Amino acid sequence: MLLAFSVAPLGAGDSVTDAVADAVAIVRASGLPHRTDAMFTTIEGEWDEVFAVVRDATDAVAAHGHRISLVMKADIRPGRTGELDAKVARVERALAQRQDT
């Protein structure tokens, strides 16, 4: 499964950088394949292990405020692995083919 999530404290002021850094540190320490961009962190793994990381990251952010915003989007395809990179590679190939025609 791929799961993209964004977690941040509410009412924590103008910047949530430290809280988000705490969450990303949890993701990195998990050892699961992941990618962080400006809006989301995407994790790849089995259901239980991915949700455990999201829970731990949310707990880390909770130390920064009394209310937490958590947004998640999942792509659940049993038996598939390596999709964190493979999905992007398929789109890049499709784009390259369009340039060739």
Side-chain angles (χ1 to χ4, degrees):
M1 103 182 296
L2 291 175
L3 187 133
F5 78 105
S6 173
V7 60
L10 298 177
D14 288 341
S15 177
V16 296
T17 300
D18 289 336
V20 171
D22 286 350
V24 172
I26 298 292
V27 172
R28 289 182 178 180
S30 75
L32 294 176
H34 64 276
R35 181 174 295 133
T36 298
D37 61 37
M39 297 292 293
F40 287 91
T41 294
T42 304
I43 307 170
E44 184 170 18
E46 296 300 318
W47 184 280
D48 290 339
E49 61 189 359
V50 167
F51 274 92
V53 172
V54 172
R55 182 196 60 232
D56 292 348
T58 301
D59 289 346
V61 169
H64 294 269
H66 65 281
R67 190 173 183 183
I68 307 302
S69 170
L70 174 63
V71 176
M72 295 187 293
K73 180 177 182 179
D75 181 1
I76 303 165
R77 293 181 76 184
R80 300 292 291 252
T81 60
E83 289 297 292
L84 187 64
D85 295 320
K87 289 180 81 162
V88 175
R90 288 191 294 272
V91 170
E92 291 296 338
R93 279 194 303 274
L95 289 169
Q97 289 173 350
R98 289 178 185 186
Q99 291 176 353
D100 292 340
T101 56

